[in-house]
Every structure is written in structure tokens, then in C-alpha cells.
């Protein structure tokens, strides 16, 4: 700036009425200076002839003469200010679409630097100078530039909205706080703004966490599908190898096996794709909500943030994915049941397959402990008398696959399998899937059967000494194996399990030992 402006401050060259550099400056008797046109207009519109600054009243309107010295100094200052403003304007950015522009600029609108909540005007760097230098304008509240400054005023009282009513969740002015909201919890607008902004930060973190969980769930589902594909490939390869050796006699069985495996795999794939699509849709919604939250949280517009906070806090259209799983289908027994139909001509092949099948299910072996306190010695099925023990395992199963074996050699009759939780009762225990138990029985006449509706009577080539029980909870499969013969005895398929399953054993008749003193560890493993 010029040397003159370095000697004097800018405030000394500004008219306190128009807030601009003096034009034809005049001094009135109290010593204050004003533009000649400004003080003349002020007195013309006022009932009193007084100084706008010190309020000194004059009985008669003073004569006004231009102070040539101050006029020359002001002219020099104005010229210097124009040069500085021109240089500053070239450095400032022109307002772009979507940006807040200066309300004072004429012609080319520059980008606003601040908005004044007292003047309700947005200023560029040049026009903001008075607010930064004049002592009485420094008291005005400046914020980052915002549009629609009129919305910051109370429509009822035409006062600045500087408070927030927590009861009614709305912005209010000082007069509102002592009238309509006098009994409400009212806090400064900035305090509520900071609180809500902190909540938005937490909301953003929660959304990001939800997105991450769903991405991990997608990876988990993809891994399950990959495992399912490997199992399907392995099962199909084994099946094809078996049926290729049987040539034309087993072509129909081969096709049926492949169809069954592929159908299960398609169902698994379809289920997985449905989950992935649903998760991706939720991620899309969450990312959209995240963008909205981020946009609002960046805003320095107190009012806009508070008015839009409800929309971003609305419940997200998501569901809890914690319990969602894609369970690879079980193929245990698929090849076995297909080849069993050709048992007369394929006995040797069947024996090899049964051995492989048994080894496969035995990998799910679990240690089972029977607890005589869980049930009691009461009749089972149609047998009466106090000669049958009915005992449950201490551990239950509600998912996955498990296998256990039972030694039945010493009992002429028995019942074993898996059941829903039983309670102590003096009534008969009715067997069958409809009653919540899937069992295999040997009655007193040496007959083997699977209780169902109707019961399935079984013809075994030899009496099994050890019976293996395999359960696939998700597949709804319960299979019984003769361990020593490596053969499948019977399978319950397409079961619908909805409750916990307990390994169950009931040997008959009682050999005289007490139920609580009997060594059950030698029976079930």
C-alpha cells in the first residue's frame, strides 16, 4: 500500500455511516468526520440533529465544509486500496457453480470467504476486510460461507437462530427461548452442533464396520462355495469312476447320481449367490448412507446439519448376518444308496464303497458320554416293565455333522439313535421321526426295524456287534452302519431338524445292575 496508508490505519479513512472510504469528508462540531452526503442524508431522515457516533445533539444544523486535507488523504488511500483490491481480486477465485459467491461483488462474483450471521451477507476476501479491521465489526459472528443466510433468522421474531431446543428438536432464537420454549431444554446452537457432529462420526464408524462385516461375510460365503465345489467335484469323480466300471447296467444310476449332486450344488450356488447379492445391495445402501453422513458431517452449516440429521439417523434397511451360513451339502451315502440297488451283482464293489463311506463319516467322530440322570429306566416303545434303560448323552448337537458308535453285542434287544430332549416321565416313549426321534431297533424276537410311519423292517445278513451313527444336521440325514461289516444298515433322509439332538441309547432287558452304577463308557463312544 502507499506510504500514506502506512502512516494511518484504514479505520481513519472510513465513514462510520457507509463504512467506505470518505467521499467529500466534512467535520462536524463534535470533531467526528463523515462523507458529506452521508451525514446530510442522515440528518434529513432524523428528527434530531445529532452525531451518529457520540450522539451529541446540535440545536441547529451545522454548516458543512469539505476538509480538503482529509479529502486528499482519502483520495490517495482510495487509489491505493483499489490497486490492492485489483491485485487481490486477480488472486481470488471466481465463484463456481455450487460455491457461495460474495454478495457485495458487482459484475464478476468472487468466491465468498466468510458469511456474517449479523449482517446476513457473504463476503469475499476484499469485502471482508472491514469485519477483520473495524473494532465494532469484529464482534460479528463469522462462519464458513453458506447459502440462504435468511434461513438463519427466526421467521416469528426476525432474530438470529442461535439456540437449539432439545425438546422440540428445532433451532430457536433468544426470544423463542423465553416465550414458546421457556420450559424446554435449550442449549447454544454450537454446542448441539458439536454433539450431533460427534454422533455422525460414530454413525460413520458403525456403518464402515457393518460394511466390513458384510465384506467378510461375502468372503466366508465364497469360501464355503469353493469348498462345496471341491466336495462336489470329488464326489462326482468317485461316482463316475465306479459307474464307468459297471458300463451299461449302471448308466441310469450314474446319471441319477450326477443329477442329484449337481442339483444340490446348484441349490447351494443359488443360495450363495442370493446371499451375496443381498449383501452387495446392503453394502450399496450403506455406502450411500456413508456418503450422506460424510457429506453432512463435513458441513460447517450448523442449521443444515441439524435439519438433515434425522434422515441419516433413520434405521438402515439391513439384517443381522451373524447366523447366516452357506452349508456345503452332504454327499455321504449318495453313491452307497445308488449302488445298493445293484447289490446282487455288485457285492464286491459295494463292500469297497461301504468301507470308504464308513471311513469318510468316521472323520466326524465325537466323544459321547451318557448321563443316567438325563432320562430314567422306563419302558421304550411297546415294551413294558421296568427293564429298559433310556439314557441321553450329556452333549447335544444343533448344527454340523457328528458320528458315534455303540456296542450292542451283549443285549438281545436295544434302541439307539438321536432324539430331541426328553423329560422324565412315566409314560411310554413313542418312537418315530414325528415324535422327534430317529432310531434303529432290535426287538426281543430278533427283528431289526427303523421306527417310522410306517416302520421299516430290515433284513440284515448278520447281527451287528457295533453300530455307527452318523448325523448331518443341515442335510437332514441320520445313517446307521454295521462297523464290522462296513455296510450301511439304514438312513433317515430329508429330515427337518429344528431342535438340539442328543445321542440316545436304550438297552433291554436290565441285567440287574443299577442305572447309576452301570459303566456306560463301554457302551457308547
Amino acid at each position: 500500500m502507499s506510504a500514506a496508508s502506512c502512516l494511518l490505519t484504514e479505520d481513519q479513512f472510513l465513514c462510520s455511516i457507509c463504512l467506505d472510504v470518505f467521499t467529500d469528508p466534512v467535520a462536524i462540531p463534535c470533531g467526528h468526520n463523515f462523507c458529506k452526503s452521508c451525514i446530510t442524508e442522515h440528518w434529513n431522515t432524523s428528527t434530531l440533529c445529532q452525531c451518529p457516533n457520540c450522539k451529541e445533539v446540535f440545536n441547529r444544523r451545522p454548516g458543512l465544509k469539505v476538509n480538503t486535507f482529509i479529502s486528499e488523504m482519502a483520495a490517495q488511500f482510495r487509489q491505493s486500496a483499489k490497486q490492492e483490491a485489483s491485485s487481490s481480486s486477480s488472486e481470488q477465485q471466481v465463484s463456481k457453480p455450487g460455491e457461495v459467491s460474495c454478495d457485495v461483488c458487482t459484475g464478476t462474483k468472487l468466491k465468498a470467504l466468510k458469511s456474517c450471521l449479523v449482517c446476513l451477507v457473504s463476503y469475499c476476501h476484499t469485502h471482508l476486510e472491514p469485519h477483520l479491521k473495524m473494532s465494532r465489526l469484529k464482534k460479528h459472528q463469522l462462519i464458513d460461507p453458506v447459502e440462504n443466510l435468511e434461513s438463519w433468522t427466526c421467521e416469528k421474531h426476525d432474530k438470529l437462530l442461535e439456540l437449539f431446543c432439545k425438546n422440540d428438536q428445532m433451532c430457536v432464537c433468544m426470544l423463542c427461548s423465553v416465550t414458546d420454549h421457556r420450559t424446554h431444554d435449550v442449549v447454544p446452537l454450537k454446542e448441539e452442533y458439536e454433539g450431533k457432529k460427534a454422533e455422525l462420526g460414530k454413525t460413520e464408524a458403525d456403518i464402515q464396520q457393518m460394511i466390513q462385516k458384510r465384506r467378510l461375510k461375502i468372503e466366508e460365503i465364497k469360501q464355503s462355495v469353493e469348498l462345496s465345489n471341491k466336495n462336489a467335484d470329488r464326489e462326482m469323480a468317485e461316482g463316475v469312476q465306479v459307474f464307468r466300471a459297471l458300463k451299461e447296467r449302471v448308466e441310469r444310476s450314474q446319471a441319477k447320481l450326477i443329477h442329484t449332486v449337481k442339483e444340490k450344488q446348484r441349490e447351494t450356488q443359488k443360495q450363495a449367490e442370493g446371499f451375496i447379492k443381498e449383501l452387495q445391495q446392503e453394502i450399496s445402501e450403506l455406502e450411500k448412507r456413508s456418503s450422506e453422513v460424510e457429506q453432512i458431517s463435513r458441513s460447517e452449516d450448523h442449521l443444515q446439519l441439524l435439519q438433515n440429521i434425522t434422515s441419516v439417523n433413520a434405521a438402515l434397511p439391513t439384517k443381522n448376518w451373524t447366523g447366516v451360513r452357506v452349508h456345503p451339502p452332504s454327499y455321504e451315502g449318495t453313491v452307497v444308496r445308488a449302488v445298493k440297488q445293484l447289490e446282487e451283482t455288485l457285492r464286491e464293489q459295494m463292500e469297497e464303497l461301504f468301507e470308504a463311506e464308513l471311513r469318510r463319516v468316521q472323520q466326524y467322530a465325537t466323544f459321547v458320554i451318557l448321563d443316567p440322570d438325563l432320562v430314567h429306566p422306563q419302558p421304550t416303545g411297546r415294551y413294558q416293565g421296568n427293564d429298559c434303560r433310556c439314557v441321553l448323552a450329556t452333549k447335544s448337537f444343533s448344527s454340523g455333522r457328528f458320528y458315534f458308535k455303540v456296542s450292542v453285542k451283549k443285549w438281545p434287544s436295544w434302541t439307539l439313535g438321536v432324539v430331541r430332549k426328553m423329560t422324565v416321565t412315566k409314560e411310554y416313549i413313542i418312537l418315530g421321526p414325528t415324535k422327534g426321534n430317529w432310531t434303529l431297533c432290535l426287538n426281543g424276537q430278533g427283528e431289526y426295524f427303523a421306527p417310522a410311519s410306517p416302520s421299516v423292517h430290515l433284513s440284515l445278513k448278520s447281527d451287528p456287534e457295533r453300530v455307527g451313527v452318523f448325523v448331518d444336521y443341515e442335510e437332514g440325514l441320520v445313517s446307521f452302519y454295521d462297523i464290522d461289516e462296513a455296510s450301511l444298515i439304514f438312513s433317515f433322509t430329508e429330515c427337518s431338524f429344528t431342535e438340539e439332538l442328543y445321542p440316545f441309547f436304550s438297552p433291554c432287558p436290565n441285567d440287574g445292575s443299577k442305572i447309576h452304577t452301570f459303566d456306560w463308557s463301554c457302551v457308547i463312544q
Side-chain angles (χ1 to χ4, degrees):
M1 191 172 286
S2 67
S5 62
C6 294
L7 298 175
L8 299 172
T9 64
E10 187 174 357
D11 286 357
Q12 294 173 296
F13 292 99
L14 298 181
C15 172
S16 60
I17 296 177
C18 67
L19 301 179
D20 203 352
V21 179
F22 288 126
T23 300
D24 295 331
V26 297
I28 61 176
C30 63
H32 291 112
N33 299 302
F34 305 94
C35 297
K36 183 176 182 180
S37 59
C38 291
I39 190 63
T40 301
E41 179 67 20
H42 177 73
W43 283 340
N44 288 340
T45 58
S46 177
T47 57
L48 295 176
C49 183
Q50 62 178 2
C51 175
N53 287 352
C54 64
K55 307 302 181 185
E56 181 178 346
V57 179
F58 309 112
N59 295 328
R60 51 188 297 181
R61 181 179 293 193
L64 301 176
K65 294 183 179 181
V66 176
N67 187 321
T68 56
F69 176 74
I70 295 179
S71 178
E72 291 175 359
M73 293 292 292
Q76 294 180 18
F77 185 85
R78 185 183 295 106
Q79 181 63 28
S80 178
K82 286 182 178 179
Q83 293 176 356
E84 183 177 326
S86 176
S87 176
S88 177
S89 297
S90 63
E91 296 177 359
Q92 295 185 67
Q93 298 180 0
V94 177
S95 177
K96 300 177 182 178
E99 294 180 339
V100 180
S101 59
C102 176
D103 294 325
V104 183
C105 286
T106 58
T108 302
K109 292 285 187 178
L110 297 180
K111 180 180 178 180
L113 184 63
K114 292 289 182 180
S115 293
C116 178
L117 295 181
V118 178
C119 303
L120 296 180
V121 175
S122 296
Y123 299 101
C124 65
H125 180 272
T126 301
H127 294 112
L128 184 64
E129 287 295 324
H131 280 75
L132 301 178
K133 295 183 177 180
M134 294 187 65
S135 56
R136 66 192 186 106
L137 294 181
K138 289 181 180 180
K139 299 178 182 179
H140 290 192
Q141 185 177 355
L142 299 177
I143 62 172
D144 288 338
V146 295
E147 295 281 4
N148 302 321
L149 281 168
E150 295 79 7
S151 63
W152 281 76
T153 58
C154 176
E155 295 181 357
K156 184 175 182 180
H157 302 109
D158 199 27
K159 298 291 183 181
L160 181 65
L161 296 172
E162 51 187 329
L163 301 173
F164 185 81
C165 176
K166 290 192 172 184
N167 297 69
D168 295 333
Q169 291 292 300
M170 62 182 296
C171 301
V172 297
C173 69
M174 290 295 295
L175 288 178
C176 289
S177 67
V178 296
T179 55
D180 300 339
H181 302 266
R182 63 180 179 277
T183 61
H184 294 178
D185 184 10
V186 178
V187 298
L189 193 66
K190 184 177 181 180
E191 177 182 327
E192 184 67 16
Y193 163 82
E194 292 174 349
K196 293 299 184 184
K197 194 166 186 178
E199 290 180 9
L200 285 175
K202 183 178 182 302
T203 301
E204 167 68 8
D206 291 342
I207 291 176
Q208 290 298 330
Q209 187 177 18
M210 293 173 70
I211 291 174
Q212 183 62 23
K213 285 182 177 180
R214 279 150 182 77
R215 285 175 175 160
L216 291 175
K217 178 61 67 174
I218 288 177
E219 291 302 316
E220 178 186 329
I221 292 175
K222 287 181 177 179
Q223 290 176 5
S224 297
V225 172
E226 183 179 355
L227 177 60
S228 175
N229 290 337
K230 290 181 180 179
N231 292 342
D233 292 342
R234 181 195 63 198
E235 192 70 16
M236 286 189 290
E238 292 180 359
V240 169
Q241 182 180 1
V242 171
F243 285 102
R244 184 182 294 121
L246 302 178
K247 298 182 180 180
E248 295 181 357
R249 297 191 61 179
V250 295
E251 286 181 355
R252 288 191 298 271
S253 297
Q254 177 183 346
K256 181 179 180 181
L257 170 69
I258 295 176
H259 173 76
T260 301
V261 173
K262 287 187 174 180
E263 187 64 27
K264 289 182 179 180
Q265 180 54 24
R266 278 195 294 270
E267 293 175 359
T268 302
Q269 186 78 33
K270 182 178 180 181
Q271 182 188 38
E273 290 174 353
F275 286 157
I276 291 174
K277 181 178 180 181
E278 194 172 351
L279 283 162
Q280 289 174 336
Q281 289 175 345
E282 288 195 8
I283 288 175
S284 177
E285 291 296 324
L286 289 169
E287 288 176 339
K288 180 180 179 182
R289 180 65 61 85
S290 175
S291 177
E292 293 175 358
V293 171
E294 181 181 4
Q295 182 178 358
I296 295 176
S297 64
R298 286 179 179 174
S299 174
E300 297 295 333
D301 186 339
H302 303 179
L303 181 64
Q304 183 185 23
L305 186 145
L306 294 174
Q307 289 178 337
N308 294 332
I309 192 69
T310 303
S311 63
V312 299
N313 282 340
L316 291 167
T318 60
K319 71 179 183 181
N320 186 357
W321 288 90
T322 303
V324 176
R325 298 287 188 277
V326 174
H327 300 281
S330 173
Y331 301 99
E332 282 70 26
T334 306
V335 177
V336 173
R337 289 188 293 274
V339 178
K340 190 175 176 62
Q341 299 174 4
L342 309 172
E343 185 175 5
E344 295 300 324
T345 57
L346 309 172
R347 186 175 301 277
E348 291 183 1
Q349 185 74 37
M350 287 289 288
E351 290 177 357
E352 293 179 6
L353 291 173
F354 279 133
E355 290 176 0
E357 184 74 15
L358 186 57
R359 286 194 301 270
R360 184 181 299 176
V361 299
Q362 284 175 339
Q363 68 177 317
Y364 299 104
T366 183
F367 185 72
V368 176
I369 299 176
L370 293 176
D371 187 350
D373 290 328
L374 288 182
V375 193
H376 52 89
Q378 288 294 331
T380 301
R382 65 173 184 264
Y383 305 112
Q384 298 185 15
N386 200 19
D387 58 356
C388 292
R389 302 176 180 87
C390 303
V391 188
L392 298 186
T394 57
K395 180 182 179 181
S396 63
F397 301 86
S398 58
S399 63
R401 301 162 185 168
F402 62 95
Y403 168 88
F404 62 93
K405 58 184 179 181
V406 182
S407 176
V408 296
K409 180 179 179 179
K410 67 178 295 184
W411 283 283
S413 61
W414 43 262
T415 301
L416 65 89
V418 291
V419 299
R420 292 198 299 251
K421 183 66 178 289
M422 293 181 175
T423 57
V424 176
T425 175
K426 293 183 179 180
E427 301 296 329
Y428 292 106
I429 299 174
I430 302 176
L431 300 177
T434 58
K435 300 300 181 182
N437 47 78
W438 296 262
T439 58
L440 181 69
C441 299
L442 170 62
N443 62 22
Q445 290 73 41
E447 300 171 338
Y448 293 93
F449 66 97
S453 300
S455 293
V456 179
H457 291 271
L458 306 170
S459 177
L460 306 183
K461 65 179 182 179
S462 62
D463 295 326
E465 296 183 359
R466 295 181 301 161
V467 177
V469 183
F470 172 74
V471 178
D472 187 326
Y473 195 95
E474 283 74 28
E475 189 71 13
L477 174 67
V478 181
S479 294
F480 299 88
Y481 296 89
D482 184 333
I483 296 176
D484 300 296
E485 292 292 330
S487 62
L488 176 68
I489 300 174
F490 181 77
S491 290
F492 288 98
T493 60
E494 299 182 358
C495 306
S496 179
F497 302 133
T498 58
E499 301 179 33
E500 295 179 336
L501 297 179
Y502 289 81
F504 168 87
F505 185 55
S506 175
C508 298
N510 195 328
D511 61 359
S513 59
K514 299 292 185 179
I515 189 170
H516 285 84
T517 60
F518 186 79
D519 183 11
W520 293 100
S521 62
C522 65
V523 177
I524 190 168
Q525 300 176 357

